[in-house]
Amino acid sequence: WFLKFLIPKLLIQSKEDAVIDELLESVDLSTYGLERSKLNEKIELDESDNPLEPINQNPRAAHGGEEEKDALDEIIKNFNDRFFSGWETTIEEARVKHLVLAKSIMAHPDFEAKVAKNQDVQNSDLALEKILSQLMLDRRKAHIEEYKRYAKDDVYHQALFNLMKQMVQNDAAFPHQHPPCR
């Protein structure tokens, strides 16, 4: 028991520590410091016209030169790439499943009053979670692998909830792209 307290006090030197200490001692950091070389000197700017490009207001995405991509397709694609890679389901089949699930959520009798028209975000999310859980339970026989993952994997559960929330919020902007609910 006494050694338990003694071991942290022991100083052990290795060859690697000596090499690192030697390297640190060989660098003179004072030579790399900032130094004022002149006082009251003005900086001259180039007087030619050099137009500046505007700063990108959305630095997370690339802009320009590409065709406009559908936001809903991007949301579904990111979700499918993350959670359905390596499954036997194709990307298009997973997309259709998610669109059908979103349409089923919006067709639910409680959706309009408890989710869409509810001003309280927290209660709206709770109602959406309840509707999603009920629909996933109802369709578990047809989509057993997806239900198992939904029930067991908390990350997938939250990601599916976030996907459905985005899809039902964006549905008014993309009504022409959804297939009819089956």
Side-chain angles (χ1 to χ4, degrees), residues 32-95:
Y32 293 105
L34 295 175
E35 180 181 319
R36 180 184 287 179
S37 59
K38 296 180 183 176
L39 292 174
N40 298 328
E41 184 168 320
K42 294 182 179 180
I43 299 174
E44 297 293 326
L45 298 176
D46 185 15
E47 293 190 25
S48 64
D49 288 337
N50 291 327
L52 295 175
E53 294 294 323
I55 297 174
N56 185 358
Q57 297 297 324
N58 186 5
R60 295 176 289 157
H63 292 283
E66 296 181 10
E67 64 205 41
E68 281 293 318
K69 293 187 177 180
D70 183 23
L72 187 61
D73 285 340
E74 286 298 313
I75 292 168
I76 294 173
K77 180 186 176 302
N78 291 337
F79 182 84
N80 289 340
D81 289 346
R82 181 170 180 194
F83 291 106
F84 284 99
S85 61
W87 283 33
E88 68 278 355
T89 306
T90 66
I91 298 296
E92 188 58 33
E93 289 171 344
R95 180 182 186 278

Side-chain angles (χ1 to χ4, degrees), residues 151-169:
K152 293 178 182 177
D153 188 356
D154 290 336
V155 174
Y156 178 77
H157 181 98
Q158 186 62 42
L160 183 63
F161 170 77
N162 292 339
L163 174 68
M164 289 300 118
K165 184 177 177 181
Q166 286 179 330
M167 288 178 71
V168 298
Q169 287 174 347

Side-chain angles (χ1 to χ4, degrees), residues 8-179:
K9 304 278 184 201
L10 293 175
L11 182 62
I12 301 172
Q13 292 280 335
S14 68
K15 292 179 183 178
E16 294 170 356
D17 292 341
V19 171
I20 292 173
D21 289 340
E22 200 176 299
L23 176 66
L24 290 175
E25 290 172 8
S26 68
V27 175
D28 183 16
L29 293 178
S30 64
T31 60
Y32 293 105
L34 295 175
E35 180 181 319
R36 180 184 287 179
S37 59
K38 296 180 183 176
L39 292 174
N40 298 328
E41 184 168 320
K42 294 182 179 180
I43 299 174
E44 297 293 326
L45 298 176
D46 185 15
E47 293 190 25
S48 64
D49 288 337
N50 291 327
L52 295 175
E53 294 294 323
I55 297 174
N56 185 358
Q57 297 297 324
N58 186 5
R60 295 176 289 157
H63 292 283
E66 296 181 10
E67 64 205 41
E68 281 293 318
K69 293 187 177 180
D70 183 23
L72 187 61
D73 285 340
E74 286 298 313
I75 292 168
I76 294 173
K77 180 186 176 302
N78 291 337
F79 182 84
N80 289 340
D81 289 346
R82 181 170 180 194
F83 291 106
F84 284 99
S85 61
W87 283 33
E88 68 278 355
T89 306
T90 66
I91 298 296
E92 188 58 33
E93 289 171 344
R95 180 182 186 278
V96 170
K97 282 182 185 180
H98 292 128
L99 290 172
V100 169
L101 183 59
K103 285 291 186 184
S104 299
I105 288 172
M106 292 185 304
H108 194 275
D110 293 339
F111 176 77
E112 193 68 31
K114 293 183 179 179
V115 178
K117 292 183 179 177
N118 193 346
Q119 297 299 320
D120 185 7
V121 176
Q122 186 175 9
N123 285 337
S124 175
D125 286 351
L126 290 173
L128 181 63
E129 174 70 29
K130 185 176 178 183
I131 292 170
L132 177 61
S133 294
Q134 181 184 359
L135 289 173
M136 289 300 291
L137 191 62
D138 291 345
R139 49 186 261 161
R140 72 183 179 273
K141 289 183 182 177
H143 308 283
I144 190 70
E145 290 299 321
E146 185 180 15
Y147 178 75
K148 284 181 185 178
R149 193 165 188 186
Y150 176 80
K152 293 178 182 177
D153 188 356
D154 290 336
V155 174
Y156 178 77
H157 181 98
Q158 186 62 42
L160 183 63
F161 170 77
N162 292 339
L163 174 68
M164 289 300 118
K165 184 177 177 181
Q166 286 179 330
M167 288 178 71
V168 298
Q169 287 174 347
N170 291 336
D171 187 64
F174 307 105
H176 61 281
Q177 296 179 351
H178 301 299

